[in-house]
Amino acid sequence: VTKGKLTLLCDANTDGSFLVHHFLSFYLKANCKVCFVALIQSFSHYNIVGQKLGVSLTVARECGQLVFLEGLKSSVDVFFRAQAEPHPLQFLREANAENLQPLYEFVREALKPVDDGEAAWRCPVLLVDDLSVLLSLGMGAVAVLDFIHYCRATVCWERKGNIVALVHDSGDTEDEENNILLNGLSHQSHLILRAEGLATGFCRDVHGQLRILWRTPSQPTTQRDQSLTYQYKIQDKSVSFFAKGMSPAVL
């Protein structure tokens, strides 16, 4: 497992959640400590998919390997239950919330180094599904970028861990906030996985294409970027990848 990296997952005209499930199962199998900020689906949804991929989120959570923030349930707590301390999603109650500090504090606490005597996990990992939801809930792109910046400082640099985050690309040039977020994260990322729908529309045997871009942010652009493009088909327990035009259904 490489360490200190930011991986950006992006989907355009398709559902890129299969990438989130892959990284979640990959890091759990690699015995990493995972903090999963899940703003899209319920715990049971991720657990069902995880079981198909060979991991149990329930077991991982019970043994302390997985810290799971379930946005769908937590949002109800924010509105209807008194909180002794700031809730990670506290900004939902504040009309003019300008930062995500409570959410960052949650991540920092979840991935703090363990004391002697507890299970020793490999590198810490922050997984977010997905950052675009924060924009939809009223946060500005700059506040979300600040949140990722602080998380990188703690998770990637201080604790030598990794961050994986999904952002939607709506393709709407007028969606300025989402474009700022996407561009800002792209410049910081070491690896960008961009899932795209087919330009020709729906196909039973090819579900989309995946652009893979490796970056070294500290190097000049001409030296740092390498890219590959594959087409893929999502199956019940796996994803098949093949070169463009090389689907078994075509050959």
Side-chain angles (χ1 to χ4, degrees), residues 25-247:
S25 62
F26 170 77
Y27 283 121
L28 289 177
K29 288 177 181 177
N31 209 34
C32 295
K33 178 68 178 283
V34 179
C35 175
F36 189 9
V37 178
L39 304 174
I40 292 290
Q41 300 284 0
S42 65
F43 177 84
S44 59
H45 170 83
Y46 293 106
N47 193 37
I48 289 169
V49 177
Q51 287 175 340
K52 291 182 178 181
L53 300 178
V55 295
S56 170
L57 271 61
T58 303
V59 172
R61 185 163 68 172
E62 288 175 352
C63 71
Q65 183 186 10
L66 173 67
V67 178
F68 191 94
L69 177 62
E70 189 166 359
L72 295 177
K73 278 188 178 179
S74 296
S75 58
V76 176
D77 295 339
V78 172
F79 285 114
F80 299 111
R81 295 182 186 174
Q83 303 289 331
E85 298 179 358
H87 190 279
L89 302 180
Q90 187 68 27
F91 71 91
L92 291 171
R93 294 189 66 171
E94 301 170 3
N96 299 309
E98 296 181 352
N99 63 62
L100 292 165
Q101 184 175 351
L103 184 57
Y104 163 71
E105 297 290 352
F106 171 83
V107 172
R108 187 177 68 170
E109 182 67 19
L111 295 178
K112 69 179 180 181
V114 298
D115 297 325
D116 292 338
E118 294 185 46
W121 308 109
R122 292 177 70 183
C123 69
V125 175
L126 169 62
L127 186 60
V128 186
D129 184 21
D130 69 66
L131 288 173
S132 297
V133 171
L134 296 173
L135 299 182
S136 302
L137 293 173
M139 292 304 299
V142 172
V144 179
L145 288 170
D146 285 346
F147 165 69
I148 291 296
H149 173 77
Y150 280 101
C151 287
R152 284 186 69 199
T154 299
V155 179
C156 296
W157 298 329
E158 181 184 329
R159 299 178 186 170
K160 302 296 185 286
N162 296 314
I163 297 176
V164 181
L166 175 67
V167 177
H168 292 298
D169 183 357
S170 61
D172 183 0
T173 55
E174 296 182 1
D175 191 351
E176 188 174 337
E177 289 292 298
N178 199 73
N179 291 335
I180 291 172
L181 177 60
L182 197 53
N183 290 334
L185 288 174
S186 296
H187 285 298
Q188 300 177 48
S189 299
H190 299 85
L191 174 64
I192 302 173
L193 301 178
R194 179 181 172 88
E196 302 173 338
L198 296 174
T200 52
F202 176 77
C203 176
R204 186 181 63 185
D205 298 299
V206 182
H207 292 157
Q209 67 179 20
L210 183 69
R211 296 181 185 273
I212 306 171
L213 180 65
W214 289 272
R215 302 182 69 254
T216 307
S218 60
Q219 297 294 322
T221 305
T222 52
Q223 300 176 15
R224 72 188 182 201
D225 293 353
Q226 294 178 294
S227 65
L228 287 172
T229 301
Y230 294 99
Q231 292 181 329
Y232 64 85
K233 179 180 180 181
I234 300 174
Q235 296 164 318
D236 189 41
K237 296 183 179 181
S238 64
V239 181
S240 297
F241 292 94
F242 34 82
K244 294 176 71 173
M246 300 296 285
S247 165

